């Protein structure tokens, strides 16, 4: 999990995914590397807050020398954050290579002590050119410093500009209280999304007014020469609305009517990767927002942002590739139909009752001929 995110939508995306991992039985959690003690503390509190106090959390310590610090500072290593202040500090303490390495190891040991003090179960220590002896020395020094860990917290006070934290700040320690902080105000409702919601509810919600007629029509069309024509028409409409790639197992309803297949370069169906920065996708920084940031922002004005990550989305079923996802839904074949309990025709209780009625003889066969 990466708590080192600036926007509420990014932070929450990380924690929705964390919740899914814990619910799926994760036996331990490892954080992204970082240098903000309050964020490390937040990730630890979040695992408890989600109801998993016994799941061990391992903190990621990267022994940070000037070259990787510069790389991370310019977002050259997605998800690894080095702020202006931290870079300035690292440059100032590095008059020589030896001094830089010594300062980096000391910082790593201090971070180890802070993590140990706040309750981390272990540390993943890494760094360029690190030897076993270096790791051992960092652990030994960290253990030595651990009893006074709280005094070291101010050395890891590198928040991102306007960074959002899930919990309220504790002014005494510089870490967090266990009370959730206020969320930011929701943005405006977009007209495009309003329209998609309206159509989605009308046709694909099992209680929607058009669900039954659409399903009846789908039963008549499926398997006829009309089915590929419907697939083509659907594809054209969805290319215009959602840059559809015609997977046939549509995930638009799962992500606020945004297509994860075409608009997330990694096709992340169950929560964001760790690489976004300031809301931008790690593959297109400054060009495209992360799809999970967009989905969160679309859902928030409706108070539905917590529905993200509330169920598992399976991989696209490639048996359905280039077929109509509308037909696949109404015929009970795609993942959304399975999630909502839309059974294939002939399998619903109504269908079974109908089939039984049809199978019953209406009257006894005549015996006139025999007579
Ligand atoms: S849109 Fe980009 S940043 Fe967001 S999950 Fe996909 S690859 Fe990661």
């Amino acid at each position: 999990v990466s708590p080192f995110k600036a926007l509420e939508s990014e932070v929450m995306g990380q924690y929705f995914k964390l919740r899914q991992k814990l619910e799926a039985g994760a036996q331990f959690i490892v954080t992204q590397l970082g240098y903000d003690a309050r964020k490390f503390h937040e990730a630890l509190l979040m695992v408890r807050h989600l109801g998993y106090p016994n799941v061990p959390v391992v903190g990621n310590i990267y022994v940070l020398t000037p070259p990787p610090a510069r790389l991370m500072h310019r977002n050259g290593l997605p998800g690894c954050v080095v702020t202006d202040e931290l870079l300035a500090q690292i440059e100032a303490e590095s008059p020589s290579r030896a001094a830089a390495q010594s300062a980096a190891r000391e910082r790593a040991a201090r971070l180890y002590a802070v993590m140990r003090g706040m309750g981390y179960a272990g540390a993943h220590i890494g760094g360029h050119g690190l030897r076993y002896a270096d790791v051992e020395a960092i652990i030994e020094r960290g253990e030595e410093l651990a009893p006074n860990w709280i005094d070291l917290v101010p050395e890891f006070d590198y928040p991102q500009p306007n960074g959002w934290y899930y919990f309220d700040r504790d002014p005494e320690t510089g870490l967090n209280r266990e009370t959730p902080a206020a969320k930011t105000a929701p943005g405006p409702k977009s007209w495009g999304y309003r329209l998609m919601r309206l159509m989605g509810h009308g046709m694909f919600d099992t209680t929607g007014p058009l669900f039954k007629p659409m399903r009846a029509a789908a039963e008549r069309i499926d398997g006829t020469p009309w089915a590929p024509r419907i697939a083509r028409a659907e594809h054209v409409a969805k290319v215009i609305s959602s840059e559809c790639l015609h997977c046939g197992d549509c995930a638009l309803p799962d992500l606020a009517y945004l297509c994860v297949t075409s608009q997330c370069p990694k096709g992340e169906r169950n929560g964001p990767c760790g690489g976004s920065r300031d809301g931008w996708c790690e593959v297109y920084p400054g060009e495209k927002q992360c799809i999970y940031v967009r989905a969160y922002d679309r859902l928030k004005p409706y108070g539905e942002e917590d529905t993200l990550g509330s169920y598992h989305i399976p991989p696209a079923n490639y048996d359905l590739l280039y077929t109509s996802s509308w037909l696949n839904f109404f015929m009970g074949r795609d993942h959304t139909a399975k999630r909502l309990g839309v059974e294939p025709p002939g399998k619903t209780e109504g269908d079974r009752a109908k089939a039984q009625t049809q199978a019953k003889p209406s009257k006894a066969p005549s015996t006139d001929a025999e007579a």
Side-chain angles (χ1 to χ4, degrees), residues 189-204:
K189 296 176 177 173
S190 79
W191 282 104
Y193 179 51
R194 276 184 209 212
L195 189 65
M196 295 289 266
R197 281 173 70 96
L198 202 65
M199 283 164 49
H201 171 68
M203 294 193 287
F204 302 108

Side-chain angles (χ1 to χ4, degrees), residues 27-47:
Q27 293 180 345
F28 62 94
I29 297 295
V30 187
T31 70
Q32 175 58 284
L33 65 88
Y35 302 92
D36 179 353
R38 191 174 163 206
K39 277 290 180 188
F40 273 118
H41 190 234
E42 179 184 280
L44 194 65
L45 283 187
M46 181 55 71
V47 173

Side-chain angles (χ1 to χ4, degrees), residues 124-161:
H124 174 284
I125 301 174
H128 185 65
L130 213 59
R131 297 163 306 149
Y132 177 78
D134 297 326
V135 175
E136 206 171 32
I138 289 166
I139 293 173
E140 279 173 14
R141 175 79 175 133
E143 290 290 336
E144 186 187 320
L145 294 167
N148 298 318
W149 69 276
I150 201 79
D151 299 336
L152 302 174
V153 169
E155 296 184 21
F156 298 95
D157 185 16
Y158 294 108
Q160 294 182 67

Side-chain angles (χ1 to χ4, degrees), residues 228-266:
R229 290 175 200 156
I230 294 287
R232 275 196 294 278
E234 178 189 342
H235 182 47
V236 170
K238 284 187 175 172
V239 165
I240 295 166
S241 72
S242 315
E243 299 177 41
C244 169
L245 292 177
H246 210 173
C247 73
D249 190 7
C250 191
L252 283 175
D254 301 315
L255 260 181
Y257 295 103
L258 292 168
C259 174
V260 70
T261 309
S262 67
Q263 289 165 61
C264 170
K266 294 184 183 172

